């Protein structure tokens, strides 16, 4: 179980930078094999930095989502925020933070996306419904769009894409919106895949305005009713998520070349979850939509081709 660190006063000597990256590597490999495998396609310098970011995000998410979430309060997140400030000031307070301090020094990045993610996790402490898509979008930006901004700071951009004559007059394209779009698409996908699990915890992320549009009630959702109203509602949600994937795809060619393959691979895997939901006749309540390992492996050469030519 992940825990907040002991208080500063009781802090023991921290591990070395290498040992800390190893802790982060273990954490990502344990929680998310697919993310972990995608990071192996990155250069040796960038890979551990992504692990450090992942570990910070995952530990934060576990505070509000994991087994110890019952004892997480807004004050816990205040503490986490103070710890973040300390990381950016160069002072790690626990063994995982040692790697992140090294990462933010080697790959200068803005602290704001990290603060925004804490704000997103805070929303999970007091909200279990979203009235409109605009409200849900803010949540998705905070808990997932921010990951795009953090990761791109490490993966880097390749400005040689901006050398065509028509760029001379303009600012080079900065793919911030596309970076965020991939996080949004991924989060919308998570929401559709986990709809049953979330309902069992009393949570509904699908905007209530959408439920109303398809004449589907909260009670129907808690009862796991799969009928034509539900199928139409899900088709609508899936189409929306795919719009964000399409937007994200347009930004990948602006990434430094070693980042394009892993990002294509990750994108194809997440968007594949939507197709599995369709194949399951939209029954996300009792059938967990997952992409089998062989299919993920099969998509790697296609992801590579796309990373070379698109
Ligand atoms: C130009 C362009 C397209 C650039 C690409 C930018 C890029 C690499 C974007 C990555 C976007 C992305 C993969 C976002 C992940 C979002 C995510 C998984 C959010 C999860 C939130 C809470 O959701 P929930 O509780 O429903 O999920 P679980 O069931 O608990 O999983 C998060 C859990 C927040 C915490 C996020 C993470 C732990 C993921 C961090 C991932 C990385 C740092 C790796 C990204 C790197 C690559 C190579 C794809
Ligand atoms: Mn979670």
């Amino acid at each position: 179980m992940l825990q907040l660190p002991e208080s500063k006063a009781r802090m023991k000597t921290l591990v070395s930078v290498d040992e800390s990256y190893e802790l982060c590597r273990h954490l990502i490999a344990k929680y998310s094999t697919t993310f972990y495998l995608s990071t192996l396609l990155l250069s040796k310098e960038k890979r551990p930095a992504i692990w450090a970011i992942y570990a910070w995000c995952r530990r934060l998410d576990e505070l509000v989502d994991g087994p110890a979430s019952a004892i997480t309060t807004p004050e816990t997140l205040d503490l986490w925020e103070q710890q973040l400030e300390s990381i950016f000031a160069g002072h790690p307070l626990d063994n995982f933070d040692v790697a992140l301090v090294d990462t933010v020094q080697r790959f200068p990045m803005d602290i704001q996306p990290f603060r925004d993610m804490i704000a997103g996790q805070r929303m999970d402490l007091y909200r279990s419904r979203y009235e409109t898509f605009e409200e849900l979008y803010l949540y998705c930006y905070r808990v997932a769009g921010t990951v795009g901004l953090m990761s791109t700071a490490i993966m880097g951009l390749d400005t040689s894409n901006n050398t065509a004559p028509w760029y001379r007059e303009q600012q080079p394209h900065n793919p911030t919106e596309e970076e965020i779009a991939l996080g949004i698409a991924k989060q919308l996908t998570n929401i559709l895949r986990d709809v049953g699990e979330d309902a069992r915890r009393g949570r509904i992320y699908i905007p209530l305005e959408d439920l109303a549009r398809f004449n589907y009630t909260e009670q129907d959702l808690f009862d796991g009713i799969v009928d034509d109203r539900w199928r139409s509602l899900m088709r609508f949600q899936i189409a929306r998520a795919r719009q964000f994937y399409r937007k994200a795809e347009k930004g990948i060619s602006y990434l430094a070349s070693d980042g394009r393959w892993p990002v294509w691979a990750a994108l194809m895997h997440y968007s594949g979850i939507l197709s599995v939901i369709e194949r399951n006749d939209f029954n996300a309540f009792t059938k967990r939509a997952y992409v089998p390992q062989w299919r993920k492996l099969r998509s790697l050469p296609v992801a590579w081709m796309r990373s070379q030519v698109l």
Side-chain angles (χ1 to χ4, degrees):
M1 185 170 54
L2 300 171
Q3 293 284 354
L4 270 180
E6 299 168 41
S7 79
K8 229 195 236 180
R10 286 192 290 131
M11 203 69 211
K12 294 181 259 37
T13 314
L14 298 177
V15 296
S16 69
V17 173
D18 285 348
E19 286 166 333
S20 178
Y21 277 120
E22 192 54 17
L23 288 174
C24 298
R25 188 180 74 77
H26 270 284
L27 192 82
I28 185 171
K30 174 177 160 212
Y31 275 83
S32 178
T33 328
T34 309
F35 266 140
Y36 176 59
L37 294 177
S38 324
T39 65
L40 299 182
L41 304 174
L42 283 168
S43 70
K44 281 204 171 70
E45 292 70 40
K46 297 177 186 176
R47 197 183 295 167
I50 292 283
W51 300 339
I53 300 280
Y54 180 94
W56 185 85
C57 296
R58 176 52 67 200
R59 294 170 73 216
L60 169 59
D61 183 65
E62 280 290 297
L63 287 175
V64 290
D65 249 8
S69 58
I71 54 166
T72 297
T73 61
E75 290 70 36
T76 317
L77 296 187
D78 293 345
L79 209 63
W80 189 263
E81 194 148 356
Q82 285 166 24
Q83 197 173 330
L84 169 71
E85 301 291 334
S86 187
I87 291 168
F88 272 78
H91 307 299
L93 296 181
D94 76 17
N95 285 335
F96 283 93
D97 292 354
V98 173
L100 190 53
V101 166
D102 181 69
T103 289
V104 302
Q105 286 171 353
R106 284 193 304 120
F107 299 90
M109 61 184 87
D110 192 352
I111 190 172
Q112 195 55 41
F114 293 81
R115 291 191 187 124
D116 288 344
M117 178 173 288
I118 297 173
Q121 302 291 355
R122 228 179 255 284
M123 288 167 88
D124 267 338
L125 288 185
Y126 67 84
R127 266 193 102 139
S128 58
R129 301 285 187 284
Y130 293 85
E131 203 58 52
T132 62
F133 178 65
E134 203 182 353
E135 289 173 13
L136 180 68
Y137 181 87
L138 178 64
Y139 170 76
C140 292
Y141 160 69
R142 286 177 169 167
V143 299
T146 50
V147 177
L149 301 177
M150 298 169 193
S151 312
T152 309
I154 291 162
M155 287 190 286
L157 298 175
D158 179 352
T159 47
S160 63
N161 256 310
N162 297 324
T163 55
W166 54 86
Y167 276 109
R168 286 193 199 122
E169 313 290 297
Q170 303 168 4
Q171 287 288 325
H173 179 66
N174 183 339
T176 310
E177 283 186 21
E178 293 88 338
E179 293 155 21
I180 294 173
L182 184 52
I184 304 283
K186 161 74 176 146
Q187 193 60 23
L188 293 176
T189 305
N190 272 14
I191 287 171
L192 301 180
R193 184 196 60 193
D194 299 341
V195 71
E197 193 183 312
D198 288 332
R200 283 187 282 283
R201 295 189 301 164
R203 297 184 164 277
I204 301 180
Y205 288 98
I206 296 179
L208 300 183
E209 65 178 6
D210 294 343
L211 294 191
R213 180 176 307 152
F214 292 94
N215 201 20
Y216 191 85
T217 65
E218 289 192 23
Q219 194 54 50
D220 291 331
L221 195 145
F222 289 130
D223 293 341
I225 307 280
V226 177
D227 59 10
D228 284 347
R229 294 169 303 152
W230 173 253
R231 290 187 189 93
S232 306
L233 170 59
M234 286 295 270
R235 275 192 203 97
F236 179 80
Q237 303 299 320
I238 289 174
R240 180 187 272 154
R242 285 190 173 133
Q243 282 173 10
F244 285 97
Y245 282 116
R246 279 196 292 276
K247 184 173 187 118
E249 285 177 5
K250 296 202 177 85
I252 300 180
S253 62
Y254 293 97
L255 290 174
S257 57
D258 64 327
R260 292 177 206 158
W261 187 16
V263 172
W264 266 112
L267 184 150
M268 289 174 66
H269 161 226
Y270 310 144
S271 57
I273 296 173
L274 297 176
S275 309
V276 178
I277 295 175
E278 288 171 329
R279 276 201 292 279
N280 289 346
D281 193 27
F282 305 99
N283 181 2
F285 295 109
T286 55
K287 286 188 192 161
R288 185 170 169 86
Y290 74 97
V291 177
Q293 207 64 30
W294 64 266
R295 202 170 270 175
K296 286 183 205 162
L297 289 174
R298 201 184 59 177
S299 66
L300 280 178
V302 183
W304 183 82
M305 283 294 282
R306 291 184 177 175
S307 71
Q308 304 300 302
V309 299
L310 292 179

